Amino acid sequence: MKRVLVVDDAPTVRMYHKKILKDAGFEVDEAVNGLEALEKALMNEYNLYVVDINMPKLDGYSFVKRLRASAEVKQAPVIMVSTEAEEKDKELSYEAGANFYLVKPVKPEDLIKYAKIFTGVGL
Amino acid sequence: MNNSLLEQFIIESKEYLQKIGEILIKLEEEGSSKELLNELFRLVHTLKGNSGLFDFPAMTKLLHASEDLMNRLRDGSLEYTSEIADILLEAMDTISQMIDEIEASGELQPSTNETAFEKASFIRNFLSEGKDSLKKVKKRVEKIEDQPTEVKSYDYLVIPEDTRMLMVRALFEGKPVRILQFSPEEECFYKGDDPFLLVRNTPNILWGRYYLRERIEDIETLDIYKCITNFDVVAIAEDSVLKEHFQYVLDQIEIIIPSISQLIIPKGDRNGGPVYEDFVEEFTEMLKKGDKGILKNSLRALKELTAPNLYVSSCLRWIELLIDYLPDSMVYIEGLLRSIKTFEPPRFGEVQKTYEIKPEVTEKSMTIPKEVLRVFEEQKKVLEKISSVSQELKEGILKSVFLSLENALTASKNSELLERLKQKNTIEDIRSFIEECLSLKVEEYRKPEKVEKVEKAKKVECVEKEEKVSEVAEKPSTTKVLKVDETKIDRLMNLIGELVVTKNSLLYLSRKVDTEYELVTFSKEMKQYYSVINKIAEEMQDAIMQVRMIPVSTVFQRFPRLVRYISKKLGKKVKLIIEGEETEADKNVVEALADPFIHLVRNSLDHGIEPPEERIAKGKPEIGTIILRAKQEADRVVIQVEDDGRGIDPQKVKQKAYEKGLISEEELEKLKDEEALNLIFLPGFSTKEVSSELSGRGVGMDVVRSMVDRYNGTVSVTSVKDKGTTITLSLPLSMAVSHVMLVEAANQKYGIPMDTIIETVRIKKEEIHVFKGVQTTSLRGKVIPILFLNDLLELGVPPVTTEDGEYAVLVLNIKNEMAGIVVDKFLGTADIILKPLPGFMADITLFSGTAIMGDGSVLLVINPKELIEWR
């Protein structure tokens, strides 16, 4: 089963994403901020990260940067999920090393579809 | 509401709103700081994000507008003013209300939605145009109201076919056709409304129906005064006409505009009847010629051959109608003709195109679904950024891009491309590979247009399914708070209470073993075990009580807002200080506190604190202070409201009480100042005009008093003229188990609540003096009245002294007065569960209730306050 790490400071959003992904057959882990996500990423192997941008302690950009700079970690794809629909946020995400950008609230079918594509699960 | 996600959302939102409120107040007090503004922005931002998960567009819109406003504050392009604070506070109030509504009913009231939209556009206008935006917003809101209501899904099949035919005719003739849904409010009967009559009188009504909004579970409990009926009405009338007719219930109606294609729904048995293939061919030919007469004749002939309950017959009837409106109705006729052949519900308009598009699969391995292509496009963008990225990230990013592409191709089963990808490893190679893939023919899984609709329906289903699954599967791992039904804790509380009492029987038994069977060692051992059980039981009781404890801050939190609001209205300057808000007390006690407390704070603000000019004239600081203080004293929680306002004038209070006939002339002269102050708690003391004259301490003070009394609490007041007033409430920490002193009088046991007892003393007979006809004694230099329990209870037996000729006296504190009560014997203390006197005896206020003792006997618990008044 593919493992996904959902990173978001808002419990509601975490629950929502987790629910959707679990239902689609993913194993889901969660982290409440970038720092916790980084710790988890270093200790576990994930096939995908679904990451919020605006978070306390360590925001989404910084998390991805640190993830990408960690040579020992398998560089699984990162989907950024944020309320900002502006191009600027997307570009910043890609500069940090994210692979995709979805705007909140994410449609369940979109999240499922792209999670499957990014983890290589048949559509 | 069994939707755990929504519940989570509500809990979280409340938390955020609380924090937002606090920060807004803080901002005003401390001035704007970047940190606070950032935090504020973050909270509103998250809240907005969360709300977007649900279908509450009004809420999301309002939050979005607020977020934008906060963003402007944060980046400094707007300054934080009191006006903006008001706007934000109001917006958050609306959000709070929405959350409450969602919590209560799972949905939002239309009126709240409207308010939210209004406020959102107000903020938008404020942002774009500045301050004089109010008028424009109003206009805009009106405009929105004028717009025909948006398309709402409606089950058109509930409308009978002949009515639908009339509707279609009307539509072809260009008349306004409306479906109106009317859900009268439940209390409408009390307002003298007659929804049925209103519906019956709908102008130009074509058809109507009524149905129950909720299922009647049990006819016994059905509230017949509650309107639970909904009405659907079809009328040929303009919105404005309908709105005028329903003008008093506009918030309860919904207008739907049906379209022709929605109404043409053939209905009937799909089996049987002649073969229609030939007919369809023939008819199509005839249609081209367009002779209505011939068409109709041909239709009628077939109709006669077909049983009217058949699906085909229904189609034919519709076609017959539509012929009248040729050529406009051509698409519909064609749709119906197809439907006769396929028996599938007719599709009109673009349907033909969808028939032509057949999923065309070319070279399977070289085609890529569009989502996968999007992933490729995005990876291309990631690679474009890579040159500007620091060196240490490059390798990681490249790896992630490679992995993304690899997975995407695996997902779409493009094995050939996958093989080729695996040979690429430089940035340049991968980039050109992406370009190549993007130039390949796009296969979009093209399906007929209708698919989208089906998917939408599926989505809803999907979300529902998700919820059900997750309810079983998911244990919210992050939640550290366990939500428990209050009744469960109450049950625990009762059980432990019983245990505490039952354990007392052990003590009783051990005594019996000692005295009756003279097994001294056994008795001692029993006592030892008793003390162990006692300790455990007490700890357990304490632990369970802790569960019910909540900090008083839940009540105090409301006050910064309240004080700010009222003081602003009154034009007074007030600083609010809150002390000891972490003090905990039983949930019921804390909740009981809320109302009296609001009363007290309002009073302080309204009448205690003087206007700034007056304060300056008196030489006081311009800004008044109100202190809310909570602390725990033994097993009571003490709460104070202190202000440095003008205080209460005891003379005026006395005068007023006398005028109101609450005290006699004698009392008027006799009453000490402190006693006079307590007059404000008398029922009937306060009226509005008194309150303003007397700095208004009387407003609802008796209400406060009775509230506090109900919870076995006390209230007292101290005040110094022009210095301020302090009102102190004292309530028990919890209410389940009472601590009583057991006493004996005339060989009967009684309980007296410990919290009224100051001390127990022994007094010699000769120390009792009759003083002005009252028996008194002096206790450490203070003269206290002495009363005999035997007399008070009219037991008819003279009081007994101890062997030393002393009386056992309980010194009680009743309404801040001391009194000595002579009893025969003290029997120690006990924890009891007080049960109110049942039935007819409930009127006997002399006893606050009964309790079952460990030995099974019944203990009467005296209410000392009444005891004194009983006299």
Side-chain angles (χ1 to χ4, degrees):
Chain A
M1 199 159 39
K2 301 290 181 183
R3 280 185 92 179
V4 184
L5 182 67
V6 170
V7 190
D8 203 307
D9 58 326
T12 309
V13 175
R14 280 203 306 277
M15 199 166 164
Y16 177 71
H17 288 168
K18 194 170 160 184
K19 211 175 253 184
I20 294 169
L21 291 169
K22 264 196 167 173
D23 213 37
F26 289 96
E27 188 186 328
V28 187
D29 212 348
E30 50 190 329
V32 300
N33 57 46
L35 214 56
E36 194 188 323
L38 200 64
E39 278 167 21
K40 288 202 166 173
L42 292 174
M43 300 207 293
N44 306 287
E45 199 179 294
Y46 296 101
N47 303 89
L48 178 68
Y49 302 90
V50 175
V51 183
D52 179 34
I53 291 180
N54 217 324
M55 288 183 293
K57 288 193 183 161
L58 192 66
D59 67 11
Y61 301 136
S62 318
F63 161 66
V64 181
K65 276 187 193 159
R66 294 222 208 154
L67 179 75
R68 292 293 180 240
S70 315
E72 67 275 29
V73 177
K74 187 183 134 184
Q75 296 297 335
V78 171
I79 298 180
M80 283 295 205
V81 182
S82 176
T83 35
E84 308 304 333
E86 280 169 46
E87 199 56 30
K88 180 192 83 192
D89 300 280
K90 185 166 158 178
E91 296 204 355
L92 284 172
S93 302
Y94 288 172
E95 268 173 26
N99 302 85
F100 209 66
Y101 191 91
L102 287 172
V103 176
K104 269 188 201 171
V106 184
K107 288 189 207 140
E109 66 266 28
D110 279 356
L111 186 59
I112 294 170
K113 221 179 317 179
Y114 288 113
K116 282 184 174 174
I117 293 175
F118 273 108
T119 52
V121 179
L123 283 173
Chain B
M1 187 175 45
N2 55 0
N3 184 337
S4 55
L5 184 65
L6 192 59
E7 269 175 32
Q8 170 66 45
F9 168 67
I10 290 167
I11 296 175
E12 198 185 335
S13 302
K14 282 187 172 172
E15 205 176 287
Y16 285 156
L17 285 167
Q18 181 70 47
K19 278 192 208 150
I20 290 169
E22 281 165 18
I23 294 178
L24 285 173
I25 297 291
K26 232 191 219 172
L27 273 171
E28 193 148 336
E29 280 169 4
E30 299 168 11
S32 71
S33 84
K34 198 152 172 82
E35 237 166 74
L36 286 175
L37 286 171
N38 272 336
E39 174 70 4
L40 194 59
F41 175 79
R42 209 178 63 75
L43 289 167
V44 177
H45 174 84
T46 315
L47 205 52
K48 182 198 80 180
N50 287 353
S51 78
L53 297 177
F54 306 93
D55 188 23
F56 303 126
M59 185 191 288
T60 311
K61 211 171 158 196
L62 180 53
L63 282 167
H64 200 154
S66 311
E67 183 194 357
D68 286 351
L69 179 57
M70 287 178 194
N71 203 17
R72 293 277 290 276
L73 295 172
R74 191 170 66 147
D75 67 19
S77 64
L78 262 180
E79 206 183 322
Y80 191 86
T81 61
S82 163
E83 190 188 358
I84 291 182
D86 285 341
I87 294 175
L88 287 173
L89 281 169
E90 265 180 38
M92 291 310 127
D93 279 348
T94 308
I95 300 290
S96 271
Q97 194 192 340
M98 294 177 116
I99 297 287
D100 288 346
E101 281 177 16
I102 294 169
E103 189 177 24
S105 64
E107 59 189 350
L108 292 169
Q109 304 291 330
S111 58
T112 322
N113 265 332
E114 211 165 284
T115 320
F117 277 127
E118 231 169 88
K119 286 199 173 142
S121 21
F122 179 79
I123 296 177
R124 289 264 170 250
N125 269 34
F126 182 85
L127 285 174
S128 59
E129 291 158 40
K131 302 190 175 181
D132 51 16
S133 54
L134 200 65
K135 278 181 205 162
K136 281 168 197 160
V137 175
K138 281 239 169 99
K139 260 187 204 159
R140 198 176 297 174
V141 171
E142 274 161 27
K143 252 187 225 157
I144 291 170
E145 275 177 0
D146 283 344
Q147 275 168 7
T149 331
E150 80 280 24
V151 184
K152 212 191 141 209
S153 68
Y154 185 81
D155 181 11
Y156 294 96
L157 269 174
V158 302
I159 307 174
E161 188 175 273
D162 49 350
T163 308
R164 273 184 284 132
M165 285 184 164
L166 287 174
M167 290 165 81
V168 169
R169 280 190 188 278
L171 282 170
F172 271 116
E173 284 155 22
K175 291 178 193 161
V177 175
R178 300 288 182 265
I179 299 171
L180 187 136
Q181 289 183 303
F182 176 31
S183 327
E185 55 182 346
E186 289 181 350
E187 310 80 44
C188 66
F189 300 142
Y190 292 107
K191 298 185 177 170
D193 291 351
D194 184 346
F196 189 55
L197 185 73
L198 190 66
V199 167
R200 289 268 308 253
N201 290 340
T202 309
N204 265 328
I205 182 167
L206 262 189
W207 169 86
R209 69 161 185 148
Y210 60 87
Y211 53 97
L212 292 180
R213 208 155 29 212
E214 49 194 65
R215 259 189 56 204
I216 298 176
E217 298 290 346
D218 181 6
I219 200 78
E220 298 282 318
T221 59
L222 175 68
D223 181 356
I224 56 163
Y225 298 109
K226 214 168 92 178
C227 178
I228 51 168
T229 316
N230 276 3
F231 299 90
D232 287 1
V233 181
V234 174
I236 300 184
E238 294 283 0
D239 285 357
S240 55
V241 177
L242 291 173
K243 280 191 176 163
E244 202 192 322
H245 182 71
F246 288 94
Q247 57 181 319
Y248 300 111
V249 289
L250 272 183
D251 55 325
Q252 296 155 28
I253 61 164
E254 190 122 24
I255 297 177
I256 298 164
I257 304 174
S259 67
I260 294 172
S261 55
Q262 285 167 322
L263 293 167
I264 304 178
I265 321 166
K267 198 178 160 187
D269 194 344
R270 286 168 201 237
N271 302 310
V275 180
Y276 298 95
E277 295 253 343
D278 296 349
F279 164 77
V280 172
E281 305 282 294
E282 214 176 292
F283 198 82
T284 317
E285 281 304 304
M286 281 191 270
L287 259 180
K288 284 177 189 158
K289 291 179 191 139
D291 187 324
K292 291 183 188 177
I294 297 174
L295 284 168
K296 280 205 168 173
N297 280 338
S298 142
L299 265 179
R300 276 182 203 135
L302 192 70
K303 237 174 76 184
E304 270 164 31
L305 292 172
T306 318
N309 63 333
L310 291 183
Y311 180 80
V312 178
S313 178
S314 177
C315 288
L316 294 175
R317 284 195 295 272
W318 277 108
I319 295 174
E320 193 183 350
L321 177 147
L322 290 166
I323 289 173
D324 289 342
Y325 303 101
L326 278 171
D328 292 350
S329 58
M330 193 57 127
V331 274
Y332 305 105
I333 297 179
E334 283 172 349
L336 285 164
L337 285 172
R338 274 194 301 273
S339 180
I340 289 177
K341 274 205 283 193
T342 60
F343 287 101
E344 276 178 22
R347 293 200 186 81
F348 312 114
E350 310 96 297
V351 186
Q352 245 167 335
K353 287 174 210 153
T354 61
Y355 267 75
E356 284 157 13
I357 301 165
K358 281 183 187 154
E360 203 179 308
V361 185
T362 51
E363 282 185 89
K364 212 172 177 188
S365 65
M366 296 304 266
T367 56
I368 304 174
K370 72 171 178 199
E371 289 82 11
V372 174
L373 270 182
R374 240 201 93 192
V375 169
F376 269 66
E377 274 165 20
E378 298 303 306
Q379 299 320 300
K380 195 177 133 195
K381 286 183 197 159
V382 176
L383 287 182
E384 278 161 15
K385 294 273 172 217
I386 212 166
S387 51
S388 58
V389 156
S390 73
Q391 199 56 40
E392 49 172 15
L393 298 184
K394 270 185 185 157
E395 199 185 339
I397 294 179
L398 188 63
K399 267 191 198 165
S400 77
V401 169
F402 187 87
L403 211 58
S404 301
L405 295 173
E406 189 182 331
N407 286 341
L409 289 173
T410 313
S412 58
K413 302 196 175 63
N414 292 75
S415 46
E416 195 181 314
L417 288 174
L418 192 58
E419 280 312 308
R420 285 178 49 200
L421 171 69
K422 283 183 181 160
Q423 288 147 26
K424 318 280 174 195
N425 39 32
T426 66
I427 295 176
E428 216 25 71
D429 274 2
I430 293 177
R431 187 175 293 155
S432 58
F433 176 77
I434 295 175
E435 294 281 7
E436 190 188 329
C437 289
L438 288 176
S439 66
L440 283 172
K441 193 164 181 256
V442 183
E443 184 232 325
E444 285 195 37
Y445 278 161
R446 204 180 304 209
K447 288 172 196 160
E449 305 283 311
K450 60 182 177 183
V451 170
E452 208 166 298
K453 270 186 195 156
V454 178
E455 260 180 12
K456 259 186 197 161
K458 246 196 209 156
K459 187 175 116 191
V460 175
E461 215 183 280
C462 179
V463 170
E464 273 170 16
K465 221 172 72 195
E466 269 161 33
E467 280 162 15
K468 274 177 203 146
V469 170
S470 60
E471 256 169 39
V472 186
E474 189 159 346
K475 283 184 204 146
S477 56
T478 46
T479 331
K480 281 168 194 146
V481 176
L482 185 64
K483 266 169 67 184
V484 182
D485 191 344
E486 206 183 326
T487 52
K488 285 187 186 163
I489 295 185
D490 286 345
R491 178 145 179 267
L492 268 182
M493 204 65 193
N494 281 334
L495 285 174
I496 185 67
E498 299 287 346
L499 184 64
V500 165
V501 171
T502 323
K503 69 158 206 262
N504 292 345
S505 60
L506 273 180
L507 202 61
Y508 168 78
L509 267 181
S510 77
R511 261 187 232 131
K512 198 170 165 186
V513 165
D514 185 7
T515 53
E516 285 183 28
Y517 304 97
E518 290 175 1
L519 297 168
V520 184
T521 9
F522 182 41
S523 164
K524 253 190 192 159
E525 247 173 84
M526 267 185 90
K527 259 189 198 156
Q528 269 169 15
Y529 277 107
Y530 163 78
S531 57
V532 174
I533 293 174
N534 186 36
K535 199 168 164 254
I536 295 172
E538 270 172 6
E539 261 174 41
M540 203 163 141
Q541 188 187 3
D542 197 49
I544 295 171
M545 234 132 57
Q546 285 298 325
V547 175
R548 286 188 55 95
M549 297 287 237
I550 55 172
V552 293
S553 59
T554 46
V555 171
F556 280 9
Q557 273 161 4
R558 313 186 198 173
F559 286 100
R561 280 289 297 278
L562 185 84
V563 169
R564 177 183 179 275
Y565 178 76
I566 299 179
S567 59
K568 219 171 171 185
K569 272 209 154 168
L570 296 170
K572 293 178 181 177
K573 293 189 176 166
V574 180
K575 193 169 87 190
L576 180 74
I577 298 171
I578 293 178
E579 288 175 6
E581 58 181 329
E582 68 289 340
T583 311
E584 287 189 329
D586 187 89
K587 187 165 173 283
N588 287 348
V589 174
V590 173
E591 277 165 7
L593 266 174
D595 279 348
F597 223 57
I598 288 178
H599 243 108
L600 296 176
V601 173
R602 261 177 205 278
N603 271 344
S604 279
L605 278 166
D606 207 357
H607 311 294
I609 303 285
E610 310 92 331
E613 318 81 62
E614 196 181 326
R615 292 185 66 91
I616 294 167
K618 281 182 184 170
K620 290 180 172 184
E622 187 186 352
I623 299 172
T625 309
I626 293 181
I627 304 173
L628 305 185
R629 193 179 290 126
K631 59 191 173 197
Q632 191 181 333
E633 278 177 10
D635 59 347
R636 299 184 78 82
V637 51
V638 175
I639 310 235
Q640 287 180 321
V641 183
E642 186 182 326
D643 68 51
D644 64 347
R646 44 170 89 96
I648 308 174
D649 186 340
Q651 289 311 318
K652 282 191 181 171
V653 172
K654 266 198 267 184
Q655 194 59 38
K656 203 73 217 170
Y658 173 64
E659 278 166 28
K660 296 229 139 207
L662 297 169
I663 52 170
S664 64
E665 204 175 329
E666 190 191 349
E667 280 173 303
L668 175 64
E669 281 167 21
K670 238 174 47 184
L671 270 179
K672 279 179 266 165
D673 282 357
E674 310 96 78
E675 289 170 329
L677 287 181
N678 282 318
L679 291 173
I680 60 170
F681 295 112
L682 288 178
F685 177 82
S686 59
T687 69
K688 257 192 187 149
E689 96 267 352
V690 187
S691 50
S692 42
E693 197 184 311
L694 293 181
S695 78
R697 283 308 169 152
V699 179
M701 278 305 196
D702 57 321
V703 178
V704 173
R705 167 73 162 282
S706 63
M707 194 82 168
V708 169
D709 273 354
R710 198 177 312 151
Y711 287 94
N712 203 9
T714 59
V715 52
S716 63
V717 54
T718 58
S719 179
V720 180
K721 198 166 177 264
D722 286 335
K723 282 273 157 59
T725 308
T726 305
I727 293 187
T728 309
L729 308 183
S730 159
L731 290 156
L733 276 181
S734 88
M735 292 174 301
V737 173
S738 329
H739 211 48
V740 294
M741 172 75 123
L742 299 176
V743 299
E744 198 178 286
N747 286 323
Q748 172 79 41
K749 260 192 235 168
Y750 295 97
I752 293 181
M754 283 296 275
D755 49 13
T756 55
I757 299 172
I758 301 175
E759 60 180 324
T760 57
V761 291
R762 290 182 190 279
I763 293 172
K764 292 213 169 71
K765 234 180 185 175
E766 50 273 24
E767 284 172 351
I768 297 179
H769 311 282
V770 179
F771 186 68
K772 274 196 176 176
V774 179
Q775 305 201 60
T776 56
T777 190
S778 72
L779 186 68
R780 286 190 285 282
K782 225 176 170 182
V783 176
I784 60 166
I786 292 291
L787 304 158
F788 291 86
L789 192 61
N790 293 27
D791 295 346
L792 292 168
L793 298 178
E794 294 167 15
L795 297 171
V797 181
V800 185
T801 54
T802 56
E803 297 95 57
D804 309 335
E806 288 175 331
Y807 282 125
V809 180
L810 281 174
V811 183
L812 304 182
N813 175 358
I814 292 159
K815 298 181 185 171
N816 284 332
E817 296 286 340
M818 273 159 68
I821 306 280
V822 176
V823 299
D824 288 356
K825 228 191 240 175
F826 299 132
L827 297 172
T829 63
D831 293 330
I832 53 143
I833 310 178
L834 196 59
K835 302 226 163 97
L837 290 170
F840 297 120
M841 292 187 290
D843 290 342
I844 309 175
T845 48
L846 179 57
F847 297 105
S848 47
T850 60
I852 311 285
M853 297 307 289
D855 58 1
S857 64
V858 175
L859 180 78
L860 279 167
V861 178
I862 291 169
N863 179 352
K865 261 181 231 165
E866 292 291 326
L867 187 69
I868 304 296
E869 276 158 28
W870 193 260
R871 155 177 74 116

